[in-house]
Amino acid sequence: MARSVVIVGGGTAGWMTASYLKATFGDKLAVTLVESKNVPTIGVGEASFSTIRHFFSYLGLAETDWMPECHATYKLGIRYDNWRAEGHHFYHPFERPRIVEGVSLADWWLHKRPSDDYDQDCSVIAALCDAKRSPRQLEGSLLELDAVEHEAEHASRSTMAEQNTQFPYAYQFDATLLAKLLTRYGTDRGVRHVLDDVVHAEVDERGDVTHVRTKESGDLSGDLFIDCTGFRGMLLNKRLEVPFLSYQDSLPNDSAVALRVPMEMSDQGMGPYTRSTAQDAGWIWTIPLSDRIGTGYVYASDYCTPDEAERTLRSFVGPGSEDLTANHIKMRIGRSENSWVNNVVAIGLSSGFVEPLESTGIFFIQNGIEQLVKHFPGGRDDHQLRRSYNRQVANVMDGVREFLVLHYIAAKRNNNAYWQDAKARTVPDALAERIEQWKVKLPDADTVFPYYHGFEPYSYTAMILGLGGLDVRPRPGLALMDDTAASKELRQVRDQAASLVERLPSHWDYLAHVTKLK
Ligand code: FAD
């Protein structure tokens, strides 16, 4: 039975892992976290999945405990600008389409085509995003929608893959501040915190790490070692020489340049969404936090130099950006062949990363941690536990890769070599066949990537119908069905959206109110 764990790395991955292990095992597990004073963390303003709330509730942290400290905001979806054509935008909302007469409203929409805007016709969240609304009333109650899960039902600890309903929002937060908050959370609960550089990992004849050597604090021994050293993959990839499988043949973006833009949010309002704006060699993210905007250009170095990318980003941000320091980041896109080998488990960027589109980095971390707890080694059958863990973690990342590749293939934007090449690039495994299926029948559970990867068929549908580049046809059988109820439901979505826009406070007003309550 593993009784002691050493985590190397103190970024988001390291501290999320340390906190979760302590919340789960308490004093029965000794946790040491060693992090370098010299190697910085990635630390860009970060957007998350709606399921991140299970991580916080597992730790016993309410929104008011952590949101103000991490400068967090709400995220009701992702807004895509210019992916179809210049000046066009649509949302990928955290909202499933309703079912009418046993048929998804998305299918009815395709059949009836009441407008060009699937998102506005079939989700209320698109209108809330345009109007910059909060998903909560000032007194704290959540917007009422049939499809929204009841929070009380999930008051006990639950994990991401156990959810049957869609929650309407995620968060955007400063990941560096979250790591700080979790440092306090972890050390208060007994995590031993060592600030030092790991210079060597000693491996025994079976291939297990016995201890890591630090520059000034001696050797740190443990039963299990967690590699949270980011893109370096110091223990897993470097020391144990576990191969890294690149996704670059299908996802060419390998670089990013980021800026932190101070902003007085009360002046300009705050969109409750992450924005992705298509560019000549990639896309720019815009993530509003309570005191600043996090922004960055994710690009393919085959199509754009770092200087060009920085110039593009500064001109996108506009006046004032010239004084801000740009952070250039080289990204390793793909995954480790196995994230758990012998007694080393990689969590975070060391395990894998599929570029920042759709904000999956922290989701991968949460998944890795939850699965580690589910597969925690006990001495017997560890080999089978590792196999099961590795399969699950690989499936999650391979599934996300498919979903992201779809974004570039289905985007109507086709104005230069970067966007044209995206349509001609190698498509992973079965995706080409799936796309042909989706053109005649919108994605469902039987036709998307078959293993859990965080995205449901409705997300694929929102992207295909929003991006507008695939020739998708309605299901012929709908022409023979009575569409009265579907027409009524489509009207109702618009009416409900207008009523919610009327009644909900602005995103900024709600967050300012909550912060004052603290
Ligand atoms: P890092 O932050 O790199 O931390 C590595 C840690 O290892 C540091 O503490 C470092 O000091 C330590 N370390 C390294 N070497 C040693 C050593 N020898 N000894 C001791 N310590 C050592 N994810 C999202 O969910 N949403 C987003 O919007 C998003 N945007 C992103 C944008 C970009 C451009 C990039 C690159 C990533 C983005 N991510 C996003 C991913 C997210 O940033 C990472 O998943 C997250 O920060 C976790 O990083 P990490 O902890 O694995 O690694």
Side-chain angles (χ1 to χ4, degrees), residues 8-14 34-36 39-48 196-198 228-232 234 256 285 287 329 331 347-350 353 356 359-363 365:
V8 182
T12 322
V34 52
E35 66 176 309
S36 166
V39 184
T41 58
I42 284 289
V44 283
E46 266 135 354
S48 62
D196 206 340
D197 287 308
V198 169
C228 295
T229 58
F231 288 131
R232 283 162 210 82
M234 185 187 183
W285 80 78
I287 298 181
I329 302 161
M331 304 186 298
I347 293 182
L349 298 170
S350 49
F353 185 53
S359 331
T360 53
I362 291 169
F363 160 68
I365 295 172

Side-chain angles (χ1 to χ4, degrees), residues 11 37 41 49 75 103 167 210 256 311 376 387 424 477 490 500:
K37 281 178 274 189
T41 58
F49 265 41
K75 173 185 173 191
V103 176
F167 196 71
T210 51
R311 269 199 304 279
F376 206 74
R387 267 173 53 130
L490 285 165
L500 283 168

Side-chain angles (χ1 to χ4, degrees), residues 10 15 31-35 183-184 187 190-196:
W15 281 110
V31 178
T32 300
L33 184 146
V34 52
E35 66 176 309
T183 304
R184 215 172 52 236
T187 49
V191 174
R192 181 181 164 214
H193 185 194
V194 179
L195 266 177
D196 206 340

Side-chain angles (χ1 to χ4, degrees), residues 10-11 14-16 18-19 22 33 35 59 61-62 64-70 176-193 518:
W15 281 110
M16 280 179 72
S19 310
K22 269 294 168 195
L33 184 146
E35 66 176 309
L59 263 48
L61 297 174
T64 43
D65 296 328
W66 71 271
M67 281 185 74
E69 202 167 324
C70 299
T176 313
L177 295 178
L178 177 65
K180 269 196 194 141
L181 183 143
L182 294 178
T183 304
R184 215 172 52 236
Y185 180 98
T187 49
D188 282 353
R189 284 158 185 78
V191 174
R192 181 181 164 214
H193 185 194
K518 260 304 268 185

Side-chain angles (χ1 to χ4, degrees), residues 214-287:
T214 61
K215 223 186 235 169
E216 294 163 358
S217 318
D219 292 348
L220 303 172
S221 325
D223 303 316
L224 190 67
F225 289 80
I226 319 242
D227 183 344
C228 295
T229 58
F231 288 131
R232 283 162 210 82
M234 185 187 183
L235 300 184
L236 189 84
N237 305 118
K238 296 238 165 65
R239 188 66 181 94
L240 298 193
E241 297 179 6
V242 172
F244 187 80
L245 310 179
S246 173
Y247 289 159
Q248 201 106 29
D249 55 345
S250 52
L251 289 170
N253 294 347
D254 59 356
S255 308
V257 51
L259 289 174
R260 291 166 167 242
V261 187
M263 192 79 69
E264 195 45 71
M265 291 299 185
S266 54
D267 293 346
Q268 57 144 23
M270 183 196 281
Y273 49 79
T274 293
R275 189 146 63 106
S276 163
T277 309
Q279 299 294 323
D280 280 348
W283 57 278
I284 287 177
W285 80 78
T286 310
I287 298 181

